[in-house]
Short mmCIF file of all heavy atoms in Angstrom, two decimals:
data_model
loop_
_atom_site.label_atom_id
_atom_site.label_comp_id
_atom_site.label_asym_id
_atom_site.label_seq_id
_atom_site.Cartn_x
_atom_site.Cartn_y
_atom_site.Cartn_z
N PHE G 55 101.25 110.60 98.52
CA PHE G 55 101.00 109.16 98.47
C PHE G 55 99.67 108.76 99.10
O PHE G 55 99.23 107.64 98.94
CB PHE G 55 102.16 108.40 99.15
CG PHE G 55 103.20 107.93 98.19
CD1 PHE G 55 104.16 108.81 97.72
CD2 PHE G 55 103.17 106.61 97.72
CE1 PHE G 55 105.13 108.37 96.83
CE2 PHE G 55 104.13 106.18 96.81
CZ PHE G 55 105.10 107.06 96.37
N ARG G 56 99.05 109.65 99.84
CA ARG G 56 97.68 109.36 100.38
C ARG G 56 96.65 109.37 99.26
O ARG G 56 95.55 108.86 99.44
CB ARG G 56 97.32 110.38 101.43
CG ARG G 56 98.12 110.23 102.69
CD ARG G 56 97.68 111.25 103.75
NE ARG G 56 98.75 111.45 104.68
CZ ARG G 56 99.08 112.61 105.20
NH1 ARG G 56 98.40 113.68 104.89
NH2 ARG G 56 100.09 112.71 106.05
N ARG G 57 96.94 110.02 98.16
CA ARG G 57 95.99 110.17 97.06
C ARG G 57 95.90 108.89 96.27
O ARG G 57 96.88 108.21 96.01
CB ARG G 57 96.47 111.33 96.17
CG ARG G 57 95.49 111.65 95.09
CD ARG G 57 95.93 112.90 94.40
NE ARG G 57 94.95 113.22 93.36
CZ ARG G 57 94.93 114.36 92.71
NH1 ARG G 57 95.80 115.28 92.98
NH2 ARG G 57 94.04 114.55 91.80
N GLN G 58 94.67 108.52 95.87
CA GLN G 58 94.42 107.34 95.03
C GLN G 58 94.94 107.62 93.63
O GLN G 58 94.69 108.66 93.05
CB GLN G 58 92.93 107.05 94.98
CG GLN G 58 92.36 106.56 96.30
CD GLN G 58 92.82 105.17 96.64
OE1 GLN G 58 93.09 104.35 95.78
NE2 GLN G 58 92.92 104.90 97.91
N VAL G 59 95.69 106.66 93.08
CA VAL G 59 96.20 106.77 91.71
C VAL G 59 95.80 105.54 90.94
O VAL G 59 95.97 104.42 91.44
CB VAL G 59 97.75 106.90 91.72
CG1 VAL G 59 98.30 106.99 90.33
CG2 VAL G 59 98.18 108.14 92.50
N ASP G 60 95.33 105.73 89.76
CA ASP G 60 94.96 104.61 88.88
C ASP G 60 96.22 104.15 88.13
O ASP G 60 96.46 104.53 87.02
CB ASP G 60 93.88 105.06 87.93
CG ASP G 60 93.43 103.94 86.98
OD1 ASP G 60 93.70 102.75 87.28
OD2 ASP G 60 92.80 104.25 85.94
N TRP G 61 97.07 103.34 88.82
CA TRP G 61 98.32 102.89 88.24
C TRP G 61 98.11 102.03 87.02
O TRP G 61 98.82 102.10 86.05
CB TRP G 61 99.17 102.16 89.27
CG TRP G 61 99.64 103.08 90.38
CD1 TRP G 61 99.23 103.08 91.65
CD2 TRP G 61 100.63 104.10 90.27
NE1 TRP G 61 99.90 104.06 92.36
CE2 TRP G 61 100.76 104.71 91.54
CE3 TRP G 61 101.42 104.58 89.24
CZ2 TRP G 61 101.64 105.73 91.79
CZ3 TRP G 61 102.33 105.62 89.47
CH2 TRP G 61 102.40 106.19 90.75
N ALA G 62 97.10 101.15 87.08
CA ALA G 62 96.80 100.30 85.91
C ALA G 62 96.39 101.17 84.72
O ALA G 62 96.83 100.91 83.58
CB ALA G 62 95.70 99.28 86.25
N GLY G 63 95.58 102.18 84.95
CA GLY G 63 95.17 103.09 83.88
C GLY G 63 96.36 103.85 83.29
O GLY G 63 96.44 104.08 82.08
N LEU G 64 97.28 104.23 84.16
CA LEU G 64 98.47 104.91 83.71
C LEU G 64 99.33 103.99 82.82
O LEU G 64 99.84 104.38 81.79
CB LEU G 64 99.31 105.39 84.91
CG LEU G 64 100.56 106.20 84.62
CD1 LEU G 64 100.22 107.52 83.97
CD2 LEU G 64 101.32 106.44 85.92
N ASN G 65 99.49 102.72 83.26
CA ASN G 65 100.21 101.75 82.45
C ASN G 65 99.55 101.50 81.10
O ASN G 65 100.20 101.43 80.08
CB ASN G 65 100.36 100.44 83.19
CG ASN G 65 101.45 100.51 84.25
OD1 ASN G 65 102.44 101.16 84.07
ND2 ASN G 65 101.20 99.88 85.38
N VAL G 66 98.22 101.37 81.12
CA VAL G 66 97.48 101.16 79.85
C VAL G 66 97.65 102.35 78.93
O VAL G 66 97.86 102.18 77.71
CB VAL G 66 95.99 100.88 80.14
CG1 VAL G 66 95.17 100.92 78.89
CG2 VAL G 66 95.84 99.54 80.84
N ALA G 67 97.57 103.56 79.47
CA ALA G 67 97.72 104.76 78.64
C ALA G 67 99.13 104.80 78.04
O ALA G 67 99.29 105.19 76.88
CB ALA G 67 97.46 106.01 79.49
N ALA G 68 100.15 104.41 78.83
CA ALA G 68 101.52 104.41 78.30
C ALA G 68 101.69 103.36 77.17
O ALA G 68 102.33 103.62 76.17
CB ALA G 68 102.53 104.14 79.42
N ILE G 69 101.07 102.20 77.39
CA ILE G 69 101.17 101.14 76.38
C ILE G 69 100.45 101.56 75.10
O ILE G 69 100.94 101.40 73.98
CB ILE G 69 100.61 99.82 76.93
CG1 ILE G 69 101.55 99.27 78.02
CG2 ILE G 69 100.40 98.81 75.81
CD1 ILE G 69 100.98 98.15 78.82
N ARG G 70 99.24 102.15 75.28
CA ARG G 70 98.48 102.58 74.08
C ARG G 70 99.14 103.73 73.33
O ARG G 70 98.91 103.87 72.15
CB ARG G 70 97.08 102.96 74.49
CG ARG G 70 96.25 101.77 75.01
CD ARG G 70 94.79 101.98 74.81
NE ARG G 70 94.00 100.93 75.45
CZ ARG G 70 93.70 99.78 74.89
NH1 ARG G 70 94.12 99.54 73.68
NH2 ARG G 70 92.98 98.88 75.53
N ALA G 71 99.97 104.49 74.02
CA ALA G 71 100.69 105.56 73.34
C ALA G 71 101.79 105.02 72.45
O ALA G 71 102.25 105.66 71.50
CB ALA G 71 101.30 106.50 74.36
N VAL G 72 102.24 103.78 72.68
CA VAL G 72 103.35 103.17 71.95
C VAL G 72 102.87 102.08 71.00
O VAL G 72 103.33 101.98 69.86
CB VAL G 72 104.42 102.62 72.91
CG1 VAL G 72 105.53 101.94 72.15
CG2 VAL G 72 104.97 103.70 73.83
N VAL G 73 101.93 101.26 71.45
CA VAL G 73 101.48 100.14 70.65
C VAL G 73 100.14 100.51 70.00
O VAL G 73 99.19 100.91 70.67
CB VAL G 73 101.28 98.89 71.56
CG1 VAL G 73 100.74 97.71 70.76
CG2 VAL G 73 102.58 98.51 72.24
N PRO G 74 100.03 100.33 68.69
CA PRO G 74 98.76 100.65 68.01
C PRO G 74 97.65 99.73 68.50
O PRO G 74 97.87 98.56 68.80
CB PRO G 74 99.06 100.36 66.55
CG PRO G 74 100.55 100.35 66.43
CD PRO G 74 101.09 99.97 67.74
N PRO G 75 96.42 100.24 68.60
CA PRO G 75 95.31 99.47 69.12
C PRO G 75 94.96 98.25 68.24
O PRO G 75 94.33 97.31 68.72
CB PRO G 75 94.11 100.45 69.11
CG PRO G 75 94.72 101.78 69.04
CD PRO G 75 96.05 101.64 68.36
N ALA G 76 95.39 98.24 67.00
CA ALA G 76 95.06 97.12 66.09
C ALA G 76 95.87 95.88 66.42
O ALA G 76 95.49 94.77 65.99
CB ALA G 76 95.33 97.54 64.65
N HIS G 77 96.96 95.99 67.17
CA HIS G 77 97.77 94.83 67.51
C HIS G 77 97.09 93.97 68.54
O HIS G 77 96.30 94.45 69.37
CB HIS G 77 99.11 95.26 68.06
CG HIS G 77 100.03 95.73 66.98
ND1 HIS G 77 101.22 96.36 67.28
CD2 HIS G 77 99.97 95.73 65.64
CE1 HIS G 77 101.84 96.70 66.16
NE2 HIS G 77 101.08 96.32 65.15
N GLU G 78 97.42 92.68 68.54
CA GLU G 78 96.84 91.79 69.54
C GLU G 78 97.36 92.16 70.91
O GLU G 78 98.48 92.64 71.04
CB GLU G 78 97.27 90.34 69.23
CG GLU G 78 96.50 89.75 68.07
CD GLU G 78 96.80 88.26 67.93
OE1 GLU G 78 96.89 87.57 68.97
OE2 GLU G 78 96.92 87.83 66.78
N SER G 79 96.58 91.87 71.93
CA SER G 79 96.96 92.22 73.29
C SER G 79 96.93 90.96 74.20
O SER G 79 96.07 90.11 74.03
CB SER G 79 96.00 93.24 73.84
OG SER G 79 95.98 94.40 73.03
N VAL G 80 97.87 90.94 75.12
CA VAL G 80 97.98 89.84 76.05
C VAL G 80 98.23 90.42 77.45
O VAL G 80 98.98 91.38 77.61
CB VAL G 80 99.12 88.88 75.69
CG1 VAL G 80 99.30 87.81 76.74
CG2 VAL G 80 98.89 88.27 74.33
N LEU G 81 97.64 89.81 78.46
CA LEU G 81 97.88 90.22 79.85
C LEU G 81 98.16 88.95 80.63
O LEU G 81 97.38 88.01 80.59
CB LEU G 81 96.67 90.93 80.42
CG LEU G 81 96.75 91.35 81.87
CD1 LEU G 81 97.83 92.43 82.03
CD2 LEU G 81 95.44 91.86 82.36
N ALA G 82 99.28 88.92 81.36
CA ALA G 82 99.66 87.74 82.15
C ALA G 82 100.00 88.16 83.55
O ALA G 82 100.69 89.13 83.77
CB ALA G 82 100.86 87.07 81.51
N PHE G 83 99.45 87.44 84.53
CA PHE G 83 99.74 87.67 85.95
C PHE G 83 100.70 86.63 86.43
O PHE G 83 100.60 85.46 86.07
CB PHE G 83 98.46 87.61 86.78
CG PHE G 83 97.58 88.80 86.69
CD1 PHE G 83 96.58 88.86 85.72
CD2 PHE G 83 97.79 89.89 87.50
CE1 PHE G 83 95.80 89.96 85.58
CE2 PHE G 83 97.00 91.02 87.35
CZ PHE G 83 95.99 91.07 86.42
N ASP G 84 101.62 87.03 87.28
CA ASP G 84 102.56 86.10 87.89
C ASP G 84 102.57 86.32 89.39
O ASP G 84 103.38 87.12 89.88
CB ASP G 84 103.95 86.29 87.27
CG ASP G 84 104.97 85.32 87.86
OD1 ASP G 84 104.55 84.27 88.38
OD2 ASP G 84 106.18 85.63 87.81
N PRO G 85 101.69 85.66 90.12
CA PRO G 85 101.73 85.86 91.61
C PRO G 85 102.94 85.17 92.19
O PRO G 85 103.33 84.08 91.78
CB PRO G 85 100.42 85.19 92.07
CG PRO G 85 100.05 84.26 91.00
CD PRO G 85 100.64 84.77 89.70
N SER G 86 103.52 85.82 93.18
CA SER G 86 104.69 85.28 93.87
C SER G 86 104.38 85.22 95.36
O SER G 86 103.71 86.10 95.90
CB SER G 86 105.92 86.15 93.66
OG SER G 86 106.23 86.19 92.29
N TYR G 87 104.90 84.21 96.03
CA TYR G 87 104.67 84.01 97.45
C TYR G 87 105.90 84.52 98.21
O TYR G 87 107.03 84.27 97.86
CB TYR G 87 104.44 82.53 97.71
CG TYR G 87 104.49 82.17 99.15
CD1 TYR G 87 103.40 82.39 100.01
CD2 TYR G 87 105.64 81.60 99.73
CE1 TYR G 87 103.48 82.07 101.35
CE2 TYR G 87 105.71 81.26 101.06
CZ TYR G 87 104.63 81.52 101.86
OH TYR G 87 104.68 81.21 103.17
N ILE G 88 105.63 85.21 99.33
CA ILE G 88 106.69 85.69 100.20
C ILE G 88 106.38 85.18 101.61
O ILE G 88 105.35 85.53 102.18
CB ILE G 88 106.74 87.24 100.25
CG1 ILE G 88 106.97 87.80 98.84
CG2 ILE G 88 107.80 87.71 101.23
CD1 ILE G 88 106.86 89.30 98.77
N PRO G 89 107.26 84.36 102.21
CA PRO G 89 106.99 83.89 103.57
C PRO G 89 107.04 85.04 104.56
O PRO G 89 107.87 85.94 104.47
CB PRO G 89 108.11 82.89 103.81
CG PRO G 89 109.17 83.19 102.84
CD PRO G 89 108.50 83.87 101.67
N LYS G 90 106.11 85.05 105.50
CA LYS G 90 106.07 86.15 106.50
C LYS G 90 105.38 85.63 107.73
O LYS G 90 104.35 85.02 107.71
CB LYS G 90 105.26 87.30 105.91
CG LYS G 90 105.02 88.46 106.84
CD LYS G 90 106.24 89.34 106.91
CE LYS G 90 105.96 90.61 107.65
NZ LYS G 90 106.47 90.62 108.96
N SER G 91 106.01 85.86 108.89
CA SER G 91 105.42 85.52 110.16
C SER G 91 104.92 86.80 110.81
O SER G 91 105.25 87.90 110.37
CB SER G 91 106.42 84.82 111.08
OG SER G 91 107.51 85.67 111.31
N GLY G 92 104.19 86.67 111.88
CA GLY G 92 103.70 87.87 112.57
C GLY G 92 102.20 87.95 112.45
O GLY G 92 101.55 87.14 111.78
N GLU G 93 101.62 88.92 113.16
CA GLU G 93 100.15 89.01 113.20
C GLU G 93 99.61 90.32 112.65
O GLU G 93 98.44 90.41 112.34
CB GLU G 93 99.68 88.88 114.67
CG GLU G 93 100.03 87.58 115.35
CD GLU G 93 99.28 86.40 114.71
OE1 GLU G 93 98.13 86.60 114.30
OE2 GLU G 93 99.87 85.32 114.62
N HIS G 94 100.43 91.36 112.49
CA HIS G 94 99.94 92.68 112.17
C HIS G 94 100.25 93.16 110.78
O HIS G 94 100.04 94.32 110.49
CB HIS G 94 100.49 93.69 113.20
CG HIS G 94 100.16 93.34 114.60
ND1 HIS G 94 98.88 93.39 115.11
CD2 HIS G 94 100.94 92.90 115.62
CE1 HIS G 94 98.87 93.03 116.37
NE2 HIS G 94 100.11 92.70 116.73
N THR G 95 100.70 92.29 109.90
CA THR G 95 101.01 92.66 108.55
C THR G 95 99.75 92.64 107.71
O THR G 95 99.04 91.67 107.68
CB THR G 95 102.05 91.68 107.96
OG1 THR G 95 103.20 91.66 108.79
CG2 THR G 95 102.44 92.14 106.58
N GLU G 96 99.50 93.74 107.00
CA GLU G 96 98.33 93.85 106.15
C GLU G 96 98.47 92.86 104.97
O GLU G 96 99.54 92.81 104.34
CB GLU G 96 98.16 95.27 105.62
CG GLU G 96 96.90 95.43 104.83
CD GLU G 96 96.71 96.86 104.37
OE1 GLU G 96 97.25 97.78 105.01
OE2 GLU G 96 96.02 97.06 103.36
N GLY G 97 97.42 92.10 104.65
CA GLY G 97 97.46 91.20 103.54
C GLY G 97 97.97 89.82 103.88
O GLY G 97 98.07 88.96 103.00
#
Side-chain angles (χ1 to χ4, degrees):
F55 265 81
R56 290 183 203 140
R57 186 171 181 169
Q58 292 288 331
V59 177
D60 181 17
W61 293 108
L64 184 65
N65 284 322
V66 169
I69 290 168
R70 293 207 188 273
V72 178
V73 178
H77 286 171
E78 286 188 40
S79 301
V80 175
L81 178 66
F83 284 92
D84 181 22
S86 298
Y87 167 80
I88 301 171
K90 176 79 171 102
S91 61
E93 298 293 325
H94 303 291
T95 304
E96 185 177 336

